[in-house]
Amino acid sequence: MAGRALADLRRELHALGMTTEERDVFLTRSGDPMLSLAPGLIVWAGSEWFRWIGERNRWRYHTTGDPAGAARLVRRVYERL
């Protein structure tokens, strides 16, 4: 499930002009996928939530049911790096 969520997020990021490659995808010890977009910007995909560190170094969460919304939020952080 988390793998599918990450694939959906990558598709939505691509639609926004942010391409990702397979080499950007890693697995946590528990097997959850994560996407490394830039130094300091890693998105974890769980079964229900995407999470990343956003503005003011605070955790941000967004439901995996809305990958387009998550992609827009992640893109904002990416553009500020």
Side-chain angles (χ1 to χ4, degrees), residues 11-80:
R11 183 188 70 241
E12 295 297 337
L13 288 170
H14 182 74
L16 294 174
M18 292 179 61
T19 58
T20 65
E21 300 178 17
E22 285 299 317
R23 67 183 176 160
D24 299 328
V25 177
F26 301 90
L27 296 177
T28 64
R29 281 188 186 172
S30 63
D32 290 331
M34 58 186 182
L35 178 63
S36 176
L37 294 170
L41 180 54
I42 297 173
V43 180
W44 285 266
S47 59
E48 297 182 33
W49 300 98
F50 295 112
R51 66 183 171 121
W52 63 94
I53 296 177
E55 294 84 16
R56 297 185 197 118
N57 293 323
R58 293 181 181 229
W59 281 106
R60 295 291 313 258
Y61 295 86
H62 196 81
T63 178
T64 56
D66 179 23
R72 287 190 299 273
L73 294 171
V74 168
R75 183 177 177 206
R76 278 194 243 159
V77 175
Y78 181 82
E79 289 174 341
R80 291 185 177 132

